[in-house]
Amino acid sequence: MSRRDPHSYADLDQGRVSSMDLDLNVDFATRRLEGTATLKLAAATGGPLDLDTRDLEIRGVTAAGKEVPFTLADKDDIIGSRLTVELPAGTTAFRIDYATSPAASALQWLEPAQTDGGKLPYLFSQCQAIHARSVIPCQDSPLARFTFQARMTVPEDLTVVMAAAPGEAGPGAAPGTRSFSFEMPQSIPPYLFAFAVGNIVSQDLGPRSRVYTEPETLKKSAWEFADVDKMLLAAEEVFGPYLWDRFDFLVMPGSFPYGGMENPRLTFLTPTLLAGDRSLVNVLAHELAHSWTGNLVTNATMDDFWLNEGFTVWAERRILENLDGVEAKSLASAIGRNGLMEAMNSFGMDSPFTRLQTDSKGTDPDEFYSLVPYEKGYLFVSLLEQAAGREKFDAFIKNYIQHFSFTSITTAQFEAFLEQELPGVAAQVDAQQWIHRAGLPDNAPEFESERLAMLENLAKGWSDGVRPEVAAAKAWSAEDWQIFLQALPRVLPADECRWLDENFDLTSQGNSEILCNWLIIAAGSGYEPPLDRTRQFLAEVGRMKYLKPLYTTLHATAKTRDLAKEIFAANADGYHPIARGGVERILAG
Ligand code: BES
Ligand code: ZN
């Protein structure tokens, strides 16, 4: 392709797969998907066409009923194996017969015991950043958008849901099976392909939204996310009309490795958001915002990932401001900034990983995943908003979405559009430094909040004996607690840990952010009573945001180093392949 994706073998100049027809059988016994992918080309094509695969077994390729020669190259550890098909001149569609590997990096196969119901197995996919190729042989670059139809056949007691419009469901060809059909009429980048299979039920939450999950979590999920329709309306105010028809979402089993994933028409969410007090619904707002920034206007490659995440965090916080006010936004921004400083310090302030636009050829996107594109991106977009003024910037955002809808763009395309629509603003804020240089520029916006200052001062005074007033702190919001815990010293004497836990019951917190922050302090302090809870948490939860810092802390503390290995050994099988790899790297360090 004229613009190369460093993480794909695809060359769009050879031809473009613009739609796909999938027919896959799900075999829980062998942990394989088996079937066919029919790839349709945007224009008649002949000659070699390179596709991305990872650990796929290619059984045959045919075009117009005739066999097509193909070669499957040796596997590269990061980007997988190049599959070259030699298409006869004039080919408009070809079919690949294939099977996935039980170790497919996008798929997690769960035993019944790893689900809430405990009786039926479960399977789900997570394709971002470069795992679609382990499920479908495809041009696995966000530059290559396609529409698709899919049929999936599963054991008859299971249900298939997919990030697509559901069609008919009925008995499969083999006895004891059921087939589910789907159609995706809007073109998507491959990383947004997603499905799940399990004992899945649903409840309507609004005219355009429904929650799917296992029966055991349905009631809790419906309550937690009851405000989804309000969010949808708030998001449309920021961006313009919602173009994906429905905004449904699926609350996943605990092993889901992310907080949320913006699969179009069916966002995936971690059950760790079910705090019981709606205190973590910002993640739903975030995934919803991706319906515009990410899913309509898509990063061209992982080097432009900040275009997806920076704008989405900005939108998430605009929605928050709209629903909960400006103070709530300031607090969320402050929490984000703390996370950003931590991430940048751990890379080193002059590390290339602290740039917005990255140069990631030869690196594994799962390894350099960090808060930088999110929170540095957020600060940059907020700075642009301040410089342009809100009214002008709001108009700019709506134009940006409309102009680039259903396309995948580079950072340079964004910069050119910015200059065209808001001339002079880039120079005014020194956009060059923000986008292309390491570290955090001096003109980063600060978010003033009296509440924030109060909480941070309390935490800063901790070592001098300053303590929050117990009754007042019991009434703190979840965000208040997050700020306070983030600002406390990382290592506290045992009696101070005990004081915190006895007064505020931190070990039995339902809010997973507070709980995880606390468990990290306790582990880093060598304070033992919460370790059982840590062990239980690491057995139930596969979200990398929690696994990584917890394992890092347990591993870095002499007292708990062996425990980290022991807990991992007991739970590794239950983690998603991506999460397992991440923790392995930590424990090897
Ligand atoms: N698209 C991301 C998740 C992702 C990124 C998966 C890169 C794989 C590779 C999603 O929108 C996201 O950012 N999730 C966050 C939540 C958010 C509120 C910051 C998460 O999972 O924590
Ligand atoms: Zn995101």
Side-chain angles (χ1 to χ4, degrees):
M1 68 198 110
S2 20
R3 290 174 307 197
R4 290 302 299 212
D5 181 336
H7 294 108
S8 172
Y9 292 112
D11 177 350
L12 298 184
D13 290 338
Q14 294 175 329
R16 223 173 235 276
V17 175
S18 57
S19 85
M20 253 186 241
D21 224 325
L22 298 169
D23 189 355
L24 295 169
N25 189 52
V26 180
D27 188 340
F28 279 91
T30 61
R31 296 194 159 185
R32 283 179 197 277
L33 308 183
E34 285 179 305
T36 59
T38 304
L39 277 53
K40 300 175 189 170
L41 293 152
T45 308
L49 182 74
D50 293 330
L51 299 173
D52 295 296
T53 73
R54 182 185 284 130
D55 300 327
L56 296 183
E57 181 188 320
I58 305 297
R59 297 178 173 168
V61 183
T62 53
K66 289 205 198 88
E67 244 169 74
V68 169
F70 67 87
T71 44
L72 187 59
D74 285 344
K75 179 179 170 181
D76 174 275
D77 275 346
I78 296 170
I79 65 172
S81 312
R82 180 199 301 262
L83 172 65
T84 307
V85 295
E86 301 288 341
L87 300 175
T91 302
T92 53
F94 59 101
R95 193 180 91 173
I96 304 176
D97 279 51
Y98 75 102
T100 63
S101 155
S105 57
L107 299 180
Q108 189 174 13
W109 301 82
L110 299 178
E111 295 295 336
Q114 291 171 271
T115 66
D116 288 322
K119 293 202 180 71
L120 293 167
Y122 199 104
L123 166 66
F124 68 85
S125 66
Q126 165 57 44
C127 289
Q128 200 181 16
I130 53 167
H131 301 286
R133 64 194 66 179
S134 74
V135 183
I136 312 168
C138 63
Q139 297 179 309
D140 192 6
S141 162
L143 287 164
R145 307 180 79 100
F146 63 100
T147 59
F148 68 86
Q149 292 185 355
R151 185 168 70 173
M152 304 222 23
T153 303
V154 297
E156 65 187 351
D157 46 3
L158 298 177
T159 297
V160 186
V161 292
M162 191 176 272
E168 308 215 315
T177 65
R178 212 171 149 70
S179 289
F180 293 78
S181 298
F182 301 90
E183 190 186 359
M184 191 61 175
Q186 292 101 344
S187 78
I188 59 157
Y191 74 83
L192 292 177
F193 176 79
F195 69 94
V197 183
N199 185 17
I200 296 168
V201 294
S202 70
Q203 181 176 323
D204 282 336
L205 297 178
R208 287 183 282 180
S209 295
R210 162 180 313 150
V211 54
Y212 289 88
T213 188
E214 285 188 75
E216 293 73 14
T217 26
L218 186 61
K219 204 171 157 207
K220 209 170 172 200
S221 301
W223 187 85
E224 202 81 31
F225 303 116
D227 287 337
V228 59
D229 198 51
K230 271 189 220 156
M231 285 184 181
L232 194 41
L233 294 170
E236 283 183 311
E237 262 177 53
V238 177
F239 284 128
Y242 181 77
L243 295 184
W244 302 89
D245 305 333
R246 293 194 55 88
F247 181 72
D248 296 334
F249 53 95
L250 173 68
V251 178
M252 308 292 291
S255 69
F256 185 61
Y258 291 97
M261 179 65 214
E262 65 271 26
N263 302 129
R265 292 167 175 260
L266 189 67
T267 276
F268 285 12
L269 295 176
T270 168
T272 61
L273 303 181
L274 301 172
D277 59 5
R278 297 183 180 158
S279 54
L280 296 172
V281 295
N282 71 296
V283 178
L284 183 62
H286 176 97
E287 306 314 333
L288 168 63
H290 272 306
S291 305
W292 291 267
T293 44
N295 299 3
L296 284 183
V297 183
T298 305
N299 52 210
T301 75
M302 280 308 280
D303 287 333
D304 312 295
F305 183 57
W306 78 274
L307 287 177
N308 275 21
E309 297 301 342
F311 276 91
T312 298
V313 173
W314 173 83
E316 169 197 335
R317 293 192 183 138
R318 273 296 291 274
I319 295 170
L320 181 69
E321 182 187 323
N322 182 319
L323 298 177
D324 293 350
V326 98
E327 178 79 24
K329 174 173 149 170
S330 293
L331 283 183
S333 306
I335 294 173
R337 191 172 174 136
N338 286 339
L340 174 64
M341 293 323 287
E342 219 172 278
M344 284 196 167
N345 284 325
S346 78
F347 282 134
M349 274 301 190
D350 51 4
S351 159
F353 290 119
T354 66
R355 296 182 194 155
L356 281 182
Q357 190 185 34
T358 54
D359 181 5
S360 61
K361 192 173 172 64
T363 61
D364 180 345
D366 292 335
E367 259 180 76
F368 69 79
Y369 178 86
S370 85
L371 280 180
V372 170
Y374 290 79
E375 296 293 348
K376 186 177 175 183
Y378 167 70
L379 291 173
F380 177 51
V381 178
S382 301
L383 184 62
L384 292 174
E385 179 187 357
Q386 282 175 13
R390 180 164 279 196
E391 212 175 305
K392 280 203 181 134
F393 194 70
D394 280 0
F396 168 79
I397 287 287
K398 288 199 171 95
N399 276 342
Y400 169 66
I401 298 293
Q402 217 175 22
H403 188 79
F404 290 113
S405 266
F406 295 109
T407 69
S408 305
I409 67 164
T410 60
T411 300
Q413 282 172 284
F414 165 75
E415 291 180 78
F417 188 75
L418 177 68
E419 191 51 33
Q420 178 191 310
E421 298 293 309
L422 295 171
V425 167
Q428 192 187 327
V429 303
D430 197 356
Q432 283 303 307
Q433 181 184 1
W434 274 91
I435 294 172
H436 301 290
R437 283 191 235 141
L440 190 64
D442 292 337
N443 62 350
E446 303 269 357
F447 293 88
E448 302 289 333
S449 144
E450 270 176 40
R451 185 133 197 102
L452 175 67
M454 182 279 283
L455 292 161
E456 288 189 337
N457 283 334
L458 263 179
K460 274 189 205 130
W462 182 273
S463 308
D464 303 323
V466 177
R467 297 290 176 272
E469 204 227 304
V470 174
K474 279 190 171 161
W476 283 356
S477 72
E479 287 77 16
D480 292 344
W481 270 103
Q482 276 182 68
I483 299 220
F484 180 70
L485 290 176
Q486 276 181 343
L488 278 184
R490 296 296 85 186
V491 178
L492 299 177
D495 60 325
E496 295 178 7
C497 287
R498 191 172 316 112
W499 185 84
L500 278 170
D501 208 11
E502 277 175 6
N503 282 302
F504 306 113
D505 251 350
L506 296 177
T507 304
S508 40
Q509 267 298 313
N511 179 299
S512 54
E513 296 288 332
I514 299 176
L515 176 65
C516 184
N517 265 311
W518 161 243
L519 294 178
I520 289 168
I521 292 178
S525 305
Y527 180 64
E528 288 175 359
L531 281 178
D532 280 341
R533 182 75 187 96
T534 301
R535 183 193 289 275
Q536 184 195 8
F537 189 63
L538 291 172
E540 287 167 0
V541 169
R543 184 177 177 187
M544 286 190 279
K545 181 179 186 189
Y546 301 148
L547 297 189
K548 286 186 177 175
L550 267 172
Y551 275 109
T552 301
T553 308
L554 290 170
H555 182 71
T557 312
K559 242 181 172 174
T560 48
R561 190 161 233 206
D562 291 337
L563 183 69
K565 297 215 159 99
E566 179 200 318
I567 296 178
F568 181 64
N571 297 293
D573 280 351
Y575 295 149
H576 189 281
I578 305 171
R580 199 183 307 141
V583 178
E584 264 162 10
R585 284 193 289 274
I586 290 167
L587 298 184

